[in-house]
Amino acid sequence: MKPILVMTIVCVSLFLKTNITNAQSNCDDVKKENEYLKKALHISTPTKTVTTANIDFNIIKLEGNTKDQSVTLHMTFVNHNANEAIQYYEIRAIDVEGNEYKGENRSIGSSGSRNTLYTDTPVKSTVTFHKVLPSVKMMKLIHIEFLYEKPSNVEIEFKDLPITWK
């Protein structure tokens, strides 16, 4: 009788140990996935959003490079229409002292200044402004014009954007 009881206890212990080990492993995987999703959410959380022509234009950050004396605007676009092409036309930024900067090095996704925006799918975009001194702490206005077919060209403005210098 005792050997059966001992054997049962050993089997139950092994079963519990295996399940606890698997649960711990699954828990670690879930923790890693949660950390990844938190970082992805933080990275792509907009600081400001403008919606026009059923497209969300989200500012992620305005980042300055002290060595290059440049500022890069990081955005995402989310199109709530059917798939459509959009193209940068003219981009300007004006600092609080009234200095104006022309937007260069434009990209929408992996393309240059023109790309297709797919329905409800975020696409990253960047624009760089050169010859911006590190003493500039804020852009008073960023004005962007796009060539867009429906309903017509699109213009958006963002005001009072702080620059994070690195």
Side-chain angles (χ1 to χ4, degrees), residues 60-153:
I60 304 302
K61 62 184 172 180
L62 191 57
E63 187 174 55
N65 181 324
T66 54
K67 183 179 176 185
D68 294 343
Q69 293 187 344
S70 65
V71 172
T72 301
L73 175 64
H74 297 267
M75 296 181 287
T76 60
F77 304 155
V78 181
N79 177 25
H80 299 291
N81 301 310
N83 300 349
E84 294 174 312
I86 194 166
Q87 178 177 336
Y88 278 114
Y89 180 63
E90 191 169 309
I91 308 160
R92 326 170 205 192
I94 301 172
D95 67 22
V96 294
E97 295 179 2
N99 299 310
E100 186 173 356
Y101 309 93
K102 187 173 176 107
E104 301 173 27
N105 304 342
R106 313 160 186 193
S107 71
I108 301 173
S110 61
S111 295
S113 63
R114 180 180 173 87
N115 204 344
T116 300
L117 299 181
Y118 297 96
T119 306
D120 295 325
T121 304
V123 176
K124 288 184 179 182
S125 177
T126 58
V127 175
T128 302
F129 303 96
H130 296 285
K131 298 181 182 176
V132 182
L133 297 176
S135 61
V136 176
K137 303 299 180 199
M138 174 185 292
M139 287 298 176
K140 186 65 180 165
L141 173 75
I142 295 180
H143 179 88
I144 305 172
E145 296 178 35
F146 294 95
L147 297 177
Y148 185 68
E149 296 173 10
K150 299 175 188 172
S152 63
N153 293 342

Side-chain angles (χ1 to χ4, degrees), residues 10-68:
V10 168
C11 287
V12 169
S13 296
L14 287 174
F15 175 76
L16 290 175
K17 182 179 179 188
T18 302
N19 284 344
I20 289 171
T21 302
N22 287 341
Q24 181 66 37
S25 175
N26 289 343
C27 186
D28 290 341
D29 291 343
V30 169
K31 284 181 182 178
K32 287 178 186 175
E33 185 176 353
N34 282 346
E35 286 302 314
Y36 169 78
L37 292 173
K38 282 181 187 177
K39 286 179 184 176
L41 193 61
H42 177 69
I43 289 170
S44 62
T45 301
T47 58
K48 291 193 179 192
T49 299
V50 170
T51 301
T52 187
N54 216 18
I55 301 172
D56 297 334
F57 297 93
N58 304 303
I59 299 281
I60 304 302
K61 62 184 172 180
L62 191 57
E63 187 174 55
N65 181 324
T66 54
K67 183 179 176 185
D68 294 343

